[in-house]
Amino acid sequence: MASFTSPTSLSFFSSSLFVPSSHKTVNSLSLSRPAKSSLYPFTIRSELTTLPILSFTGEKVGETCLDLKSAPPETARAVVHRAIITDQQNARRGTASTRTRGEVRGGGRKPYPQKKTGKARRGSQRTPLRPGGGVIFGPKPRDWSIKINRKEKRLAISTALSSAVESMTVVEDFGDKFPVPKTQEFTAAMRRWGIDPKEKSMFLMTQVADNVKLSSRNIGTLRMLTPRTLNLFDILNAERLVLTPAVVDFLNARYGMDYDGDSEEDGEFEEGEGGEEDGEEAAQEG
């Protein structure tokens, strides 16, 4: 009996997210510092992986290297989990509100006498036990935001990218390959790159041309991002990641071992939390 093998998923909830990569590792670096407790040492790994570069027609035209920081396997899931929970919780508006029995309208007069009616005692028509009454322990406006260190969030993104190298595809810049918007031509190009348009894919480009944006916006499984809108959720939710050589250089410079810390460019290319949508569209009520 033939066995069915499901495609590899980059979902964080998949147990195979942080399995060791089968790509050939050229170099491996380790950065460590003394920790306050010997039980929780601080370590950061860096693996240099070679990725082929495809042309617009799908032919291999060169190679590039991806060298990103990565948390050790025993703490990788915890780092990524904390970052994704922070992003989702900070997207909540916290505007859900209900009225208590003291805030609903009516209920000022006792509906009927206490005795001699044969009915249960009732002091108000707006009691939480009756329709139209107040709500017991209902939600009130609140601030759901929580804090995460900038370096910790950056490490979570680089760890997620490092775990997805097996599903990465590097393509030459194709911004000028679409003289007119054409979704059919864009899907044909995806098939030449070995990407199924029905799979969840994320395209990361330094700058998205207008015709490229218009050609890809009707593909419901595709996300077109830039370094400004790069976020952890879209990385984990995608089954295939498509990068350009310029983006690979950007990732190596920002998430590599040579990155010292915050700089003036951090404000220009700060990681996003919800993709290209505005905060109002990505927020959840409640």
Side-chain angles (χ1 to χ4, degrees), residues 12 18 71-84 148 152 156:
F12 172 76
F18 297 112
E74 58 270 13
T75 60
R77 293 183 65 89
V79 171
V80 176
H81 178 266
R82 171 174 165 79
I84 190 66
I148 184 173
E152 185 178 1

Side-chain angles (χ1 to χ4, degrees), residues 98-108 124-128 132-137 140:
T98 55
R99 295 181 178 180
T100 63
R101 63 180 301 167
E103 297 172 337
V104 295
R105 183 179 179 182
S124 173
Q125 289 287 74
R126 291 299 176 254
T127 172
V135 179
I136 304 176
F137 303 128
K140 286 291 185 181

Side-chain angles (χ1 to χ4, degrees), residues 25 36 64 87 98 108 122 124-125 127-128 161 173-174 220 229 231 236 246 261 264:
T25 301
K36 295 181 180 180
T64 185
D87 288 348
T98 55
R122 188 74 64 191
S124 173
Q125 289 287 74
T127 172
L161 289 171
D173 189 11
F174 52 89
T229 58
N231 63 94
L236 300 177
E264 296 179 358

Side-chain angles (χ1 to χ4, degrees), residues 21-34:
S21 173
S22 61
H23 282 68
K24 182 179 179 181
T25 301
V26 180
N27 186 16
S28 179
L29 301 177
S30 178
L31 175 65
S32 62
R33 68 182 183 187

Side-chain angles (χ1 to χ4, degrees), residues 1 15 53 85 109 112 132 144 171 184 193 216-218 253 262-263 267 273:
M1 181 177 180
S15 59
I53 301 178
I85 291 300
R109 182 177 65 88
Y112 47 80
W144 288 93
V171 182
Q184 186 176 2
W193 300 330
S216 62
R217 66 178 180 178
N218 287 335
D262 301 335
S263 61
E273 296 184 356

Side-chain angles (χ1 to χ4, degrees), residues 54-59 169 171 174 178 182-199 201 203 215 218-219 221-222 240 242:
L54 303 181
S55 64
F56 186 71
T57 58
E59 300 176 356
T169 302
V171 182
F174 52 89
F178 294 89
K182 195 72 173 179
T183 303
Q184 186 176 2
E185 295 182 1
F186 196 92
T187 55
M190 293 178 62
R191 293 189 178 94
R192 290 196 299 268
W193 300 330
I195 303 173
D196 186 0
K198 295 183 180 180
E199 293 181 339
S201 57
F203 282 67
S215 300
N218 287 335
I219 305 177
T221 58
L222 185 144
R240 297 295 300 271
V242 181

